[in-house]
Amino acid sequence: MERALDLARRGWGRVAPNPLVGAVLLAGDGVVAEGYHGEYGGPHAEVVALEAAGERARGATLVVNLEPCAHHGKTPPCTEAIVQAGVARVVAAIADPDPEARGGAGVLRAHGVSVSIGLLAETAAALNAPFLFAREQQERPFVALKLATSIDGRIADAAGTSQWVSGTAAREYVQWLRAGFDAIAVGGTTALRDNPQLTVRGPIVPRRPPVRVVFDRRAMLNPSAPLVSSARDVPTWVMASLEAPVSSVTALEQNGVRVFRPASLAAGLQMVRAAGIETLLCEGGGALGARLLVDGLVDRLYWVQAPVWLGEGAVPAFPGVPPQPLPTAPRWTPVERRVLGSDTLLVLDRRICLPGS
């Protein structure tokens, strides 16, 4: 199952809105074949593994991180291929919550295939957390907050300089990370100060370039800013307030920017989801990230910690977050720890979303 999860990650940035799925076919204690879902609309992981195995699939065990699908979508149901191949047993990590695709376990059992679900369930749920979240609710996108801080939790020095807190390896990781999200967001101050591109410039070319979202209450982005001047080439949205000057909104729209005017941050996220965004990666600044956290709107935190101290007076990562008594303070679940050059990555989920739980 660990190998199936590793294979599944290879579909990052290319299969959404489908889940990340990997499959390993076993005969006895040996691996017969393996596969993963590599492209939206392409063959699913189970089919890739079965085709690689050929006749060796008969009587074998199929290990997969998500319950095989049972519906006709862009490809035939995986359950049909599994039954035709003569697979004797299927071991899945989690059930498929998708209302159209779920039910594969029941179909397989009806055809005499032994099915068990639950092996490494929490790990598999964390891998596909955005997919599971999107099927659990329709109110807003899955929101991930990415922060690069010093050891003492600062995102910039006392002069406001933030480039670069983290090192090269961490910045390369962020390019990989961006490829797997529908949208990348920043606050208006960050957009004005840093002139970010908010594009994917790593080894993975995403199937759909992420939409760029700027939470800019006053709609103050200058038409000459890179985010605005390139808005006709890369979709760019601005979340302005109801009080934003009409002239500023009009100027942005005339330059190809799509402007939303929600009454609150939560309402803005609802608009984003209604516009087709299922996953959103927020990259700062501190005020926007803290507001999302305080309002309970962050589902995952990607925290890069650099081995540097910036000290008192430097810009804090979580300004304005109210104190919490230790016994009742919310505790998040670590789902990954990784070394990125001289930096350390910690990935935390607010909760693990297990299908059916």
Side-chain angles (χ1 to χ4, degrees):
M1 185 63 77
E2 290 176 345
R3 175 60 177 167
L5 290 164
D6 285 341
L7 289 166
R9 291 183 179 91
R10 298 184 184 183
W12 182 259
R14 300 299 305 174
V15 302
N18 285 355
L20 299 166
V21 183
V24 178
L25 204 60
L26 302 173
D29 294 329
V31 174
V32 172
E34 57 187 30
Y36 65 94
H37 183 34
E39 195 73 28
Y40 179 74
H44 289 188
E46 301 94 319
V47 173
V48 174
L50 291 171
E51 289 181 349
E55 283 301 313
R56 295 176 296 170
R58 193 159 300 279
T61 295
L62 178 66
V63 181
V64 62
N65 60 294
L66 184 70
E67 175 188 17
C69 67
H71 81 304
H72 281 272
K74 290 188 175 296
T75 60
C78 292
T79 50
E80 184 178 292
I82 292 168
V83 171
Q84 290 179 352
V87 170
R89 182 187 180 205
V90 170
V91 179
I94 58 175
D96 191 338
D98 190 278
E100 292 184 352
R102 66 189 177 193
V107 172
L108 292 172
R109 289 177 180 131
H111 285 84
V113 179
S114 172
V115 180
S116 60
I117 297 177
L119 180 61
L120 297 185
E122 289 198 357
T123 305
L127 174 69
N128 272 312
F131 168 81
L132 298 175
F133 182 93
R135 272 113 199 110
E136 181 184 76
Q137 62 121 306
Q138 305 291 320
E139 293 179 1
R140 63 172 178 83
F142 177 90
V143 176
L145 174 61
K146 189 277 296 180
L147 290 173
T149 77
S150 60
I151 294 173
D152 51 343
R154 310 290 174 162
I155 59 174
D157 64 19
T161 302
S162 60
Q163 296 180 338
W164 297 100
V165 172
S166 57
T168 301
R171 296 197 295 275
E172 290 175 351
Y173 171 80
V174 170
Q175 294 299 326
W176 174 88
L177 185 64
R178 286 178 174 181
F181 282 84
D182 295 337
I184 305 168
V186 294
T189 301
T190 298
L192 289 168
R193 183 187 63 229
D194 295 345
N195 279 329
Q197 297 182 55
L198 301 185
T199 54
V200 179
R201 302 181 298 280
I204 296 177
V205 178
R207 187 175 69 85
R208 294 181 302 190
V211 172
R212 304 180 300 189
V213 181
V214 181
F215 287 84
D216 180 16
R217 289 181 53 81
R218 299 291 296 166
M220 296 305 290
L221 274 181
N222 192 296
S224 64
L227 284 172
V228 179
S229 61
S230 60
R232 298 192 190 279
D233 300 317
V234 182
T236 304
W237 301 351
V238 164
M239 290 290 154
S241 71
L242 297 173
E243 293 77 31
V246 174
S247 58
S248 299
V249 171
T250 301
L252 290 173
E253 291 177 335
Q254 288 175 342
N255 282 275
V257 176
R258 183 176 180 182
V259 180
F260 298 78
R261 306 186 76 177
S264 66
L265 185 55
L269 291 176
Q270 290 175 350
M271 290 179 175
V272 167
R273 178 63 186 270
I277 301 300
E278 291 190 352
T279 58
L280 181 143
L281 176 65
C282 176
E283 297 195 6
L288 175 60
R291 186 74 261 161
L292 288 167
L293 284 166
V294 169
D295 291 352
L297 299 172
V298 177
D299 304 294
R300 171 168 289 178
L301 176 62
Y302 291 96
W303 191 351
V304 176
Q305 294 173 306
V308 60
W309 294 87
L310 294 179
E312 195 70 27
V315 182
F318 308 105
V321 176
Q324 296 279 355
L326 184 58
T328 58
R331 290 185 180 270
W332 291 41
T333 302
V335 297
E336 185 180 355
R337 294 181 177 90
R338 187 193 304 190
V339 173
L340 296 172
S342 61
D343 303 323
T344 303
L345 170 69
L346 178 61
V347 183
L348 300 165
D349 276 2
R350 186 157 58 99
R351 66 185 181 92
I352 299 295
C353 179
L354 283 171
S357 63

